[in-house]
Amino acid sequence: MEELSGKVAMVDNNLEQMVEMAILHVIQLGTKHGIFKILSRGPSQREVLDSVDLPNRRLLQEFLNTLKAIGIVEEQGNHLKLNGFSYTLRVPPEHYDALLPGWVSVLEEIYKMVDYAFITPTHPHVLMDFDKDADFWDIRMTTDFASLYREAIALAGGIRQGSGVLDLGCGSAAPYEFGKKAGYSGFYTGVDYSSAILEIARIRTEEANLPVELKELDVRLIRPVNEYDVTVMSFLLEYLKPEDYRAVLRRALEALKPGGKLVILEPFRDRFDNLEALEFFEKLNKDFKGFPTAGDILRAIEAEGFDVSVDRPGKSVLVVNLMP
């Protein structure tokens, strides 16, 4: 339990720093493109959109919405007003050794993509499509941070030799890591709707001769036929509409054996402040819907009537235990 708490705390610390870095990137964008200079005059939203020389007005509107959401700008009548903001990046000393470098370069690349997206959302340098840009996503899924949160998931779910694992939204790296942990005495099923990402996963697992099953399928359409010890949902719910939560969670729990565990990992918006800054960059992926709240997830599970208990080893992890 102590090892799990330590891993999840590391995940949480890195997520918090991602949000902090995203806020700084938002401020950098506002300065770079002269948006703050225009906002200093107390313009209307229409005046900002007409004055900033960026062709992608939809993204510019999204940027203004982000400034309002994180409190840099407020609306007064028909005008936008800067709040005289200041920002301090805080890294508590006890978090220094928990910070991982892998996500920093990824976020920097996405920041650069915003400039191209301001020209056009279909710019070839915006590499956020799951199929078309699977190599970029594979880079994201093989960082030290991604390995860390999969270690936390494995501990939370008790994934080990002999485990049956259903991984929804599995991506390209988890099939290898979880498949290796489950071993030949267990079984792993990974579900993802990106054929390109699954192909990377397939090559990786076949080279290691791992007995995993990979299915190209929208998670909203799953009908599990096996019973599993663990169902995993990591960074998946942010790509679903809230009205789809209940059906997907129901099927994830129905796939479990009595006593099984559903492990959910997300930067829940009711546990992390200013997530809108990070969402602004993630929205370059057309499928991104927004980070869920832990409360919404728990209410959806409760509404389905399952007999469960819930453990919360940290801010970003929920472990839903299906009662025997």
Side-chain angles (χ1 to χ4, degrees):
M1 192 64 177
E2 186 175 337
E3 184 181 6
L4 171 60
S5 297
K7 293 289 186 186
V8 176
M10 285 185 66
V11 173
D12 291 346
N13 295 339
N14 280 275
L15 286 170
E16 287 169 352
Q17 294 307 311
M18 284 182 205
V19 175
E20 301 264 359
M21 193 74 73
I23 294 172
L24 293 179
H25 283 325
V26 165
I27 293 171
Q28 188 175 354
L29 283 167
T31 304
K32 176 181 179 179
H33 293 291
I35 298 170
F36 291 144
K37 183 176 182 180
I38 294 169
L39 286 168
S40 68
R41 305 167 190 158
S44 67
Q45 190 159 275
R46 172 62 62 184
E47 287 171 333
V48 177
L49 294 173
D50 290 343
S51 301
V52 177
D53 187 22
L54 294 170
N56 189 341
R57 292 164 66 89
R58 186 202 61 77
L59 186 60
L60 178 57
Q61 177 69 70
E62 196 67 56
F63 184 76
L64 294 177
N65 292 342
T66 300
L67 293 180
K68 288 185 281 186
I70 63 179
I72 291 177
V73 168
E74 66 179 44
E75 286 189 271
Q76 293 186 349
N78 294 323
H79 297 274
L80 300 177
K81 179 185 176 183
L82 284 168
N83 281 327
F85 66 91
S86 62
Y87 190 74
T88 303
L89 180 64
R90 296 182 180 87
V91 183
E94 64 271 20
H95 293 178
Y96 291 162
D97 64 348
L99 295 179
L100 299 174
W103 60 263
V104 178
S105 58
V106 170
L107 188 55
E108 286 177 343
E109 286 302 311
I110 298 174
Y111 165 78
K112 294 175 186 175
M113 292 178 197
V114 171
D115 276 340
Y116 295 112
F118 271 136
I119 299 170
T120 171
T122 57
H123 196 287
H125 288 170
V126 180
L127 308 177
M128 293 290 279
D129 184 89
F130 286 125
D131 276 323
K132 189 172 62 175
D133 308 308
D135 287 340
F136 175 74
W137 280 98
D138 186 54
I139 291 170
R140 291 191 72 172
M141 294 171 189
T142 52
T143 61
D144 46 11
F145 173 68
S147 293
L148 169 66
Y149 71 68
R150 286 192 291 270
E151 288 176 19
I153 288 169
L155 287 169
I159 300 174
R160 55 188 177 274
Q161 294 290 304
S163 293
V165 181
L166 174 62
D167 191 355
L168 302 180
C170 63
S172 60
Y176 171 82
E177 292 191 20
F178 291 145
K180 192 173 181 180
K181 287 183 182 297
Y184 290 93
S185 57
F187 59 100
Y188 170 94
T189 302
V191 178
D192 204 294
Y193 71 77
S194 168
S195 59
I197 283 177
L198 282 179
E199 183 58 26
I200 296 172
R202 185 170 288 107
I203 292 169
R204 190 169 279 139
T205 54
E206 285 180 355
E207 286 178 350
N209 198 30
L210 292 174
V212 306
E213 181 181 24
L214 300 175
K215 293 185 176 182
E216 182 184 342
L217 187 66
D218 188 318
V219 296
R220 293 171 297 180
L221 304 175
I222 61 168
R223 296 287 191 277
V225 294
N226 296 316
E227 284 192 327
Y228 297 87
D229 299 293
V230 187
T231 301
V232 174
M233 300 170 66
S234 58
F235 297 100
L236 168 70
L237 292 166
E238 63 212 54
Y239 297 101
L240 299 177
K241 295 178 181 178
E243 56 265 33
D244 292 325
Y245 292 167
R246 281 185 61 175
V248 174
L249 289 164
R250 179 176 67 250
R251 288 163 187 159
L253 287 165
E254 286 174 346
L256 291 174
K257 299 175 183 177
K261 298 177 183 291
L262 167 61
V263 183
I264 302 172
L265 191 146
E266 286 279 357
F268 296 110
R269 60 186 318 115
D270 48 352
R271 297 188 179 181
F272 291 87
D273 294 330
N274 298 316
L275 269 177
E276 294 88 354
L278 191 57
E279 285 182 325
F280 173 73
F281 296 97
E282 295 293 353
K283 285 177 182 176
L284 290 181
N285 181 304
K286 61 181 175 55
D287 295 316
F288 183 84
K289 301 296 187 294
F291 296 118
T293 70
D296 284 343
I297 301 311
L298 294 175
R299 282 188 290 272
I301 292 171
E302 182 180 2
E304 289 298 319
F306 287 95
D307 184 11
V308 299
S309 66
V310 178
D311 297 322
R312 305 183 184 191
K315 294 168 63 175
S316 60
V317 176
L318 294 174
V319 182
V320 183
N321 307 287
L322 186 64
M323 294 296 99

